[in-house]
Amino acid sequence: MPTGSSALQIVACIVISTVLAYVGGRVHQWYKHSLDRDRSFREGYKHAYQALFPLASRGRAPAPGTTGPDVPAAEPPRD
């Protein structure tokens, strides 16, 4: 076996290890980014629900100085 073959194998192992480490890092980054995005979505949805639902259910407050709609008073029942 020629002596240059072992040097070529060492270089090939280093290149393959580097490529695999890079790919593993990118997969890890993609996975973490996906988890962060999912968590941010859930927290944002929860915050929006807690902020907007009470706002919508409160309704509109009457303007200052107004007493509200005129509703006739109920008459007592007649016997």
Side-chain angles (χ1 to χ4, degrees), residues 41-67:
F41 175 77
R42 277 187 269 114
E43 289 175 357
Y45 183 79
K46 181 180 177 183
H47 174 72
Y49 176 79
Q50 290 175 348
L52 291 179
F53 186 73
L55 180 66
S57 65
R58 275 194 302 207
R60 184 182 155 158
T66 60
T67 58

Side-chain angles (χ1 to χ4, degrees), residues 12-26:
C13 285
I14 291 172
V15 168
I16 290 172
S17 298
T18 304
V19 168
L20 288 176
Y22 174 76
V23 169
R26 294 297 290 181

Side-chain angles (χ1 to χ4, degrees), residues 2-3 5 7 9-11 18 21-23 25 35 55 58-59 63 67 71-72 74 78:
T3 58
S5 173
Q9 288 176 350
I10 292 172
V11 169
T18 304
Y22 174 76
V23 169
L35 290 177
L55 180 66
R58 275 194 302 207
T67 58
V71 178
R78 295 182 187 171

